[in-house]
């Protein structure tokens, strides 16, 4: 029986990826020059398709990095002179804050309890904050922050840049880019690709901030500062030798997603999430960790009463991988990815094994 990965990243490959990898080898993609016109065509196809899937307007450009964490670091370097502000409700949102501190910024944070959403009315965002960050889907806890809440913060702080991490929710989630300056993700989660490629979507306004910082003798980093991303991105290239293979695969998988229809994928995501949540809502012992309103549809976290080892062992015997809890909740939780690469049939198999032990 084929192994199924419900791990939250890397995860199950999008079903067409093995064929695309075979074709890539036939077409010698791993040896392709990143200065060739063939490479530029793959780059262009990948970003054009992403624009269609996520409805990215012309006010925003799409660039490649090595990872989502790199996207966080570039965001801080290129948009913050001194002050940043971070909504923190888990490990990845804390990482965004920590990166700002590591880069010597005066970073402030507003916290929510693990597994909970924010009390937005209590958040005091200092005037001097230049950037506000969110992790829209906290993979560590399974909490999804409603986009409406993020838009409300954006609306009440029109002078500040807004950056959101959509790593483990996109392409199910696509923000309204008129309200967001920067969105970042990596491709090994919702896009079902091998790891090692990040994507940044950057507004003209954020680009202007980077230009201003650079012109006023502030460091915005080196080969992947926003200005370099733009200079090379305009030619469908990157400053460095990038992950050519993954950019090729992204150009193919985004094509497949468009052919299937992103609305179909979103509907399937909701159906599969509903199957999992209703199974666990009715489970005699194991329960969803997050209250209904804030439950992620794409990374589903279940409190298994310290028995994650037992659950993981049972599933492994049936060639299924799920993630244990994050950090200190390793034993208490299991985390189940529900990405476009996961089929309803696979989810039903997972449920059947948990229900009947076979
Ligand atoms: C996985 C993950 C990251 C880190 O992604 P990398 O590609 O490893 O940098 C960041 N944020 C969230 C929400 C994630 O789930």
């Amino acid at each position: 029986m084929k192994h199924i990965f419900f791990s939250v990243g890397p995860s199950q490959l999008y079903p067409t990826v093995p064929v695309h990898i075979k074709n890539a080898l036939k077409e010698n993609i791993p040896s392709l020059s990143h200065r060739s016109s063939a490479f530029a065509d793959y780059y262009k196809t990948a970003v054009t398709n992403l624009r269609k899937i996520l409805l990215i307007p012309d006010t925003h450009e799409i660039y490649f990095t090595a990872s989502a964490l790199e996207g966080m670091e570039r965001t801080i370097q290129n948009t913050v002179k001194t002050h940043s502000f971070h909504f923190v409700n888990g490990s990845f949102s804390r990482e965004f804050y920590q990166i700002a501190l590591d880069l010597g910024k005066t970073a402030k944070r507003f916290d929510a309890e693990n597994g909970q959403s924010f009390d937005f009315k209590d958040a005091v965002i200092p005037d001097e904050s230049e950037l506000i960050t969110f992790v829209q889907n906290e993979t560590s806890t399974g909490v999804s922050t409603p986009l409406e809440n993020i838009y409300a913060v954006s609306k009440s702080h029109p002078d500040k840049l807004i950056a959101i991490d959509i790593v483990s929710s996109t392409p199910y989630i696509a923000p309204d880019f008129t309200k967001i300056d920067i969105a970042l993700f990596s491709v090994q989660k919702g896009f079902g690709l091998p790891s090692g490629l990040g994507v940044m979507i950057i507004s003209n306004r954020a680009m202007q901030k980077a230009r201003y910082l650079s012109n006023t003798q502030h460091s915005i980093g080196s080969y992947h500062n926003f200005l370099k991303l733009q200079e090379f991105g305009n030619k469908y290239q990157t400053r460095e030798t990038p992950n050519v293979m993954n950019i090729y695969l992204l150009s193919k998988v985004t094509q497949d997603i468009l052919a299937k229809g992103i609305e179909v994928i979103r509907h399937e995501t909701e159906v599969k999430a509903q199957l999992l949540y209703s199974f666990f809502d009715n489970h005699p012992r194991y329960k969803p960790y997050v209250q209904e309103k804030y439950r992620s549809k794409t990374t589903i976290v279940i409190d298994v009463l310290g028995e994650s080892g037992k659950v993981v062992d049972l599933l492994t015997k049936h060639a299924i991988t799920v993630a244990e809890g994050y950090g200190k909740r390793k034993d208490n939780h299991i985390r189940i990815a529900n990405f476009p690469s996961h089929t309803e049939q696979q989810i039903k198999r997972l449920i059947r094994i948990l229900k009947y032990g076979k």
Side-chain angles (χ1 to χ4, degrees), residues 12-23 191-194 246 249 253 256:
Q12 184 73 15
L13 291 178
Y14 197 76
T16 54
V17 168
V19 169
H20 292 317
I21 290 177
K22 272 188 206 142
N23 290 338
F191 284 89
L193 287 170
N246 236 350
L249 294 174
V253 160
D256 300 333

Side-chain angles (χ1 to χ4, degrees), residues 3 24 26 34 43 90 113-114 152 223 305 342:
H3 202 105
K26 260 188 242 157
H34 58 301
Y43 184 128
E113 295 288 318
N114 274 312
Y223 74 103
L305 307 171
H342 298 111

Side-chain angles (χ1 to χ4, degrees), residues 8-9 66-70 72 92-93 135 137-140 165-168 184-189 195-198 299:
V8 290
S67 67
L69 287 186
E70 190 196 342
M72 292 183 185
F92 291 103
S93 42
V135 169
N137 191 79
E138 241 309 343
T139 318
S140 63
D165 167 325
I166 51 172
V167 179
S168 56
L184 58 92
F185 62 92
S186 42
V187 300
Q188 75 276 17
K189 306 206 180 177
S195 59
L197 181 67
T299 57

Side-chain angles (χ1 to χ4, degrees), residues 293-350:
K293 188 165 171 215
Y294 302 107
R295 284 178 188 170
S296 168
K297 300 264 199 300
T298 52
T299 57
I300 288 153
V301 177
I302 306 298
D303 187 339
V304 292
L305 307 171
E307 295 179 359
S308 78
K310 193 175 132 189
V311 177
V312 165
D313 282 352
L314 170 68
L315 291 170
T316 305
K317 277 199 201 104
H318 292 86
I320 290 178
T321 297
V322 297
E324 294 179 313
Y326 195 93
K328 61 179 187 296
R329 290 178 301 276
K330 181 176 188 292
D331 296 334
N332 288 336
H333 292 173
I334 56 165
R335 293 177 300 152
I336 305 168
N338 173 28
F339 294 147
S341 51
H342 298 111
T343 65
E344 187 174 326
Q345 217 183 351
Q346 290 168 342
I347 300 269
K348 284 181 170 159
R349 186 170 139 206
L350 170 72

